Amino acid sequence: MWSIESCFLLTVFFTDEGNSTSRLSLYIPYSWGWSEGIEFADGIVALLKDLSDAEVDYYNLISRRYRIASPPAVGSDVARCGAFFWEDATGEIFAGFIPSFDEGKLLRDGITIDQTDIDVVAVTAAMTTGLTLTSTNTIQPLSGFNSEDLTSLIEAYLQYRDYRT
Amino acid sequence: MAFATQDVKYSFVVEDEGGTTSQLEITVPTSVLTNPADMTEFGDEMAALLDALSDGKIEKYNIIIGRYDSAATAASAGSNVEKKGRLLISNALNKTVRLAIPSVLDAVLVASGSGKAKDINTAHADVIALIDALISGLTMASTNVIAPTDSNGQDLIAVPEAYQQHTRSHYTGRRRKG
C-alpha cells in the first residue's frame, strides 16, 4: 500500500556566471494539490529571483511516495541491471535500466532477457502501449529527451553498470 | 519570466541487499497533470510491474515536475552561487530551519553589528516580500493562501536571523533541457 509524503519538495536551481550551480529547497503542503502547488512555486521563485543575481531557469516540484516493502532478496545488487532498448516513434533508440534485475528472467545463456516471460511482457506492454487507468485515460511513457512514444522493444539483456546513487 | 512544465518524470528507487540504491526514471506526457489521480495510479502500477522484474526493494518513488523558463535572465557578471543569503527561520515547534539563497544580491546586504559577515537587510522591500511569503504565504488565483512549511509539515513562524554566508556548493551536476 503506497502512501504519499505530506509535502511537495520544491527545488530551485541557481547558476552563476561561472556556470556553477546551487539549489534551494522548500516544502509545500501536498494537500493543496499539483495545480496550486505549481502556482505557489512560480510565485515564490519570482521572489527568490529578486534576491539573487544568478540565473534561475529551472525548478522542479517533487511528490514522494513510499510504502513498506519486503526486504531485498539475498544476492540482490543494483549494479546488475536489465538493459532494455526501446525504439521511439522517430526511430531513435532509448535505453532503460532496471536495477537488481531478477536473473530468473534470463534465457539459458545467462545474458539475454526472456521476452516471453509474463512479467517482461507486462512491462513491455506498459512501456509501448501505456497503462489504462481507472479514469480510462491511458498514459504511455516517452523516450528521454526526444519525448516521443516508445513503439517497440528492440533488445534486452543483462548488463552490469556502475549506476548507483 | 514564464515557467512552463516541460517534463513529468517518475524516479523509482531500488535498494539492494547491501543497502545501495539506484534509480530508474520514466518520462510521461505532461498531459498527466490534468488528472492528478492518474499520476499516483500510474506510478503505483508501474512500480508493481518493475517490482516483478527486480529482486531489489522498491520502497519509494518520486513524481517530478520539471519547469523551465526559456527566457530567464542570464547570470550577472560577478555572480557566485557560493555567496549565500542565509535565513534562519523558526518553525511552530521553535526549531530552526535554514534557507540559503545562492548568489544573494549585494543590494540587499548591510554591514553587520559584529563587523564580520554582512547581514541581510530585512527592511529591504524584496526581502520583506520573501519573508512575508515564507511566513504568511502567497494568495493564489483561487484566493487560497499557501504557505511553505518545514520538511515535517510544521508552519514557519519567524525569521530571527538573516546574514551573508559563503558556503561551498556541493552540487556539481546539472540537467539542462534543450
Side-chain angles (χ1 to χ4, degrees):
Chain A
M1 182 69 180
W2 288 95
S3 301
I4 200 148
E5 293 202 4
S6 60
C7 297
F8 286 115
L9 172 62
L10 168 65
T11 305
V12 188
F13 295 83
F14 296 73
T15 306
D16 66 18
E17 180 190 22
N19 215 29
S20 293
T21 299
S22 186
R23 53 185 170 178
L24 174 154
S25 294
L26 273 175
Y27 296 89
I28 306 165
Y30 182 77
S31 54
W32 292 109
W34 283 103
S35 177
E36 291 201 312
I38 289 171
E39 185 181 349
F40 173 85
D42 281 354
I44 201 87
V45 169
L47 296 175
L48 289 167
K49 287 180 70 164
D50 287 341
L51 296 178
S52 173
D53 53 10
E55 180 180 358
V56 182
D57 67 342
Y58 169 57
Y59 76 78
N60 57 39
L61 191 62
I62 304 171
S63 165
R64 298 163 298 169
R65 285 174 70 75
Y66 63 94
R67 66 175 175 177
I68 304 298
S70 302
V74 174
S76 55
D77 178 0
V78 294
R80 188 184 65 237
C81 292
F84 288 76
F85 296 88
W86 314 94
E87 186 173 45
D88 74 13
T90 66
E92 293 287 327
I93 304 299
F94 171 74
F97 301 92
I98 300 178
S100 203
F101 192 77
D102 182 351
E103 291 172 297
K105 307 293 184 187
L106 301 176
L107 295 178
R108 284 188 181 178
D109 64 6
I111 300 277
T112 310
I113 292 172
D114 180 1
Q115 294 187 31
T116 65
D117 178 273
I118 188 170
D119 295 325
V120 175
V121 169
V123 166
T124 301
M127 295 296 284
T128 56
T129 60
L131 289 174
T132 299
L133 307 174
T134 307
S135 63
T136 72
N137 292 331
T138 297
I139 297 177
Q140 183 177 348
L142 303 173
S143 56
F145 279 99
N146 250 5
S147 294
E148 294 283 346
D149 289 346
L150 302 173
T151 54
S152 60
L153 176 62
I154 301 296
E155 200 170 11
Y157 52 83
L158 194 69
Q159 187 178 66
Y160 279 82
R161 293 169 57 83
D162 185 15
Y163 203 74
R164 305 176 185 205
T165 53
Chain B
M1 182 187 73
F3 280 92
T5 301
Q6 284 196 11
D7 51 40
V8 178
K9 288 181 180 166
Y10 288 79
S11 176
F12 298 91
V13 181
V14 182
E15 181 182 332
D16 67 19
E17 180 188 21
T20 305
T21 59
S22 185
Q23 297 183 26
L24 165 70
E25 277 194 356
I26 292 177
T27 303
V28 298
T30 56
S31 57
V32 69
L33 280 165
T34 56
N35 188 355
D38 284 350
M39 298 174 73
T40 49
E41 187 180 349
F42 176 86
D44 293 359
E45 286 196 20
M46 187 58 80
L49 294 175
L50 296 172
D51 206 19
L53 293 183
S54 175
D55 55 9
K57 176 171 72 172
I58 301 180
E59 199 163 60
K60 54 187 172 183
Y61 72 83
N62 300 322
I63 306 172
I64 305 166
I65 307 294
R67 287 180 57 82
Y68 299 81
D69 180 2
S70 58
T73 306
S76 301
S79 55
N80 178 2
V81 294
E82 296 188 355
K83 186 183 79 177
K84 306 266 192 347
R86 172 81 67 186
L87 303 180
L88 301 187
I89 308 169
S90 53
N91 73 4
L93 300 176
N94 208 27
K95 292 187 175 174
T96 301
V97 177
R98 291 173 171 80
L99 187 77
I101 303 165
S103 203
V104 66
L105 283 175
D106 286 333
V108 300
L109 300 176
V110 292
S112 73
S114 67
K116 293 182 180 175
K118 292 181 177 177
D119 283 336
I120 293 175
N121 180 5
T122 52
H124 190 286
D126 291 336
V127 177
I128 291 172
L130 177 67
I131 292 176
D132 197 44
L134 293 173
I135 305 305
S136 304
L138 292 175
T139 302
M140 305 288 101
S142 63
T143 73
N144 288 330
V145 176
I146 297 181
T149 66
D150 70 4
S151 59
N152 293 316
Q154 294 295 327
D155 289 341
L156 305 178
I157 300 300
V159 179
E161 281 191 72
Y163 51 85
Q164 180 194 347
Q165 184 179 45
H166 280 263
T167 59
R168 185 175 174 186
S169 182
H170 296 283
Y171 185 71
T172 54
R174 178 152 197 247
R175 286 175 297 175
R176 272 187 178 275
K177 185 76 173 176

